[in-house]
Amino acid sequence: ACTDTETFEITIDDAGGLHWVNCPVDLTINNDVDKCGANVNWTPPTALDDCNTATVTGPTGGNPGDLFAPGMHTISYEATDGNGNTITCSFKITVRDMQLPNAVCKDITVALVGNAASITSADVDNSSSDNCPGMTLAIDNGSFDCDDLGANIVILTATDGATPANTASCMAVVTVVDNTPPVLTCPDALTAVCVGSEQPAYASFAT
């Protein structure tokens, strides 16, 4: 009898066996009240492999429960099996600063110097604040003259550094006063001259 033997090799590819069970989706979170950011939590992903036990490392970019500043953050995990296969789970956390600044005004009195007076936003600001650094202040009117004597309404606007920016406003009463006394200019001394009738005659003078 004839015998024929054929030898061949079977290679089992485990590359597709390693997979994630629950890779988190991208998250968009508003800031926590009075915080410049948000404490964000998520369930860490789980990886399974058809042949071996999967090992998960990470995360990079932050941990569950961390305070994340406004902006976008990328979180990544990596899983490996015993055959050298590797997969990555990545998702994004976007934190939005949605809190308005706290604009606080105070009323002031300013005196004209000559025919003018000026103020800055700091003059009517009464400790305005925001949950994040970078707040700026501006006023709608900072110059006054004699036409503005008395009470004037000035709007103070606080703008934070968020994108898009959050703003808040308040009103201050700016009372303009004129404390400068008038200046009286007297003419030179005059001499009365008596004419023949002995009645004094007065020269005219400018006033």
Side-chain angles (χ1 to χ4, degrees), residues 4-69:
D4 186 11
T5 302
E6 183 176 346
T7 302
F8 60 93
E9 183 178 278
I10 299 175
T11 301
I12 300 176
D13 186 0
D14 184 38
L18 182 62
H19 59 279
W20 294 106
V21 176
N22 59 330
C23 183
V25 298
D26 293 345
L27 302 173
T28 298
I29 307 292
N30 293 341
N31 71 285
D32 295 338
V33 176
D34 294 333
K35 291 184 179 180
C36 189
N39 291 101
V40 183
N41 287 282
W42 64 89
T43 300
T46 300
L48 295 178
D49 186 61
D50 293 340
C51 296
N52 298 287
T53 299
T55 300
V56 177
T57 57
T60 61
N63 294 287
D66 284 353
L67 179 68
F68 290 84

Side-chain angles (χ1 to χ4, degrees), residues 67-182:
L67 179 68
F68 290 84
M72 188 174 68
H73 309 266
T74 300
I75 308 299
S76 295
Y77 291 85
E78 186 176 86
T80 58
D81 64 12
N83 295 320
N85 299 305
T86 301
I87 56 174
T88 300
C89 164
S90 293
F91 63 97
K92 292 179 172 55
I93 296 174
T94 301
V95 178
R96 302 184 302 179
D97 178 12
M98 303 298 289
Q99 184 168 330
L100 301 181
N102 183 28
V104 184
C105 288
K106 63 182 178 182
D107 300 337
I108 62 171
T109 298
V110 294
L112 295 175
V113 177
N115 185 35
S118 62
I119 64 170
T120 66
S121 57
D123 295 321
V124 295
D125 175 43
N126 194 21
S127 299
S128 300
S129 60
D130 188 55
N131 59 308
C132 287
M135 182 188 70
T136 59
L137 298 173
I139 51 177
D140 64 340
N141 182 23
S143 299
F144 307 92
D145 57 27
C146 290
D147 293 333
D148 302 307
L149 289 174
N152 301 268
I153 298 298
V154 172
I155 305 299
L156 174 71
T157 300
T159 303
D160 68 12
T163 303
N166 302 300
T167 62
S169 299
C170 59
M171 293 190 302
V173 177
V174 177
T175 302
V176 179
V177 297
D178 180 8
N179 293 332
T180 304

